[in-house]
Amino acid sequence: MKFLFFLFLSLFLTSSGHAQSDLQTAIKGGEILLTGLSIFKTAKSGKSDSKIIESVCVKNKLVDKITFKIVGKDEQGDEIKKELVIQKDGKECLFILPKGIYTYEIILPNKEIYKKGEYKFNEEVVITIKDD
């Protein structure tokens, strides 16, 4: 944006005979520049076919900290293990997680398993752990 301001300012400081045509050229250049930037923005946000999830977050509403463990496999069959320690009333996130079905465990500080199961991660999600 500063670039365009300086471009317009320099055009106005040039001779008045060419200022009108230079101004039109600068306006066209600005339009092309902005169109190019909007294309990049659209391309970046078009991740609907992506095989990864940007973030998976877990909130802890229990009376003590918990450990949240997940285990799954990526497309190549390699095992993926992730672990989060989440304080009371806290929130922690995993970033760039391959989509798929994962087994999970929620472990209390005394090493007791609070919950266990499977979850299909296919989009960004916030999971809240609370007393039933």
Side-chain angles (χ1 to χ4, degrees):
M1 199 61 156
K2 289 181 183 179
F3 172 74
L4 292 176
F5 174 75
F6 288 117
L7 184 63
F8 287 132
L9 182 62
S10 64
L11 289 174
F12 286 120
L13 295 177
T14 59
S15 66
S16 62
H18 299 296
Q20 184 66 27
S21 65
D22 289 343
L23 179 61
Q24 290 174 347
T25 304
I27 290 173
K28 287 287 186 191
E31 288 175 1
I32 292 170
L33 179 66
L34 291 176
T35 304
L37 291 176
S38 65
I39 290 170
F40 287 127
K41 185 175 181 182
T42 303
K44 184 179 176 186
S45 64
K47 294 184 179 179
S48 60
D49 295 337
S50 177
K51 296 179 182 182
I52 61 165
I53 303 165
E54 293 294 323
S55 68
V56 172
C57 297
V58 181
K59 288 183 179 181
N60 179 12
K61 296 295 181 182
L62 298 177
V63 295
D64 209 349
K65 74 176 183 176
I66 60 170
T67 301
F68 182 81
K69 291 183 180 183
I70 62 170
V71 178
K73 293 189 184 254
D74 64 8
E75 288 185 330
Q76 291 80 24
D78 296 327
E79 189 173 62
I80 298 170
K81 290 183 179 182
K82 302 288 182 178
E83 184 175 310
L84 296 172
V85 177
I86 308 156
Q87 300 299 321
K88 176 184 172 185
D89 291 324
K91 175 181 166 183
E92 296 290 333
C93 297
L94 296 169
F95 298 101
I96 313 299
L97 185 71
K99 290 181 178 180
I101 298 173
Y102 291 81
T103 58
Y104 71 88
E105 288 184 342
I106 300 167
I107 304 167
L108 300 174
N110 63 2
K111 307 296 181 198
E112 178 184 335
I113 295 176
Y114 178 70
K115 283 190 180 178
K116 184 177 188 177
E118 287 187 345
Y119 191 88
K120 182 176 182 179
F121 292 104
N122 58 3
E123 62 185 3
E124 289 186 26
V125 65
V126 176
I127 301 168
T128 302
I129 311 299
K130 56 185 177 182
D131 268 335
D132 293 329

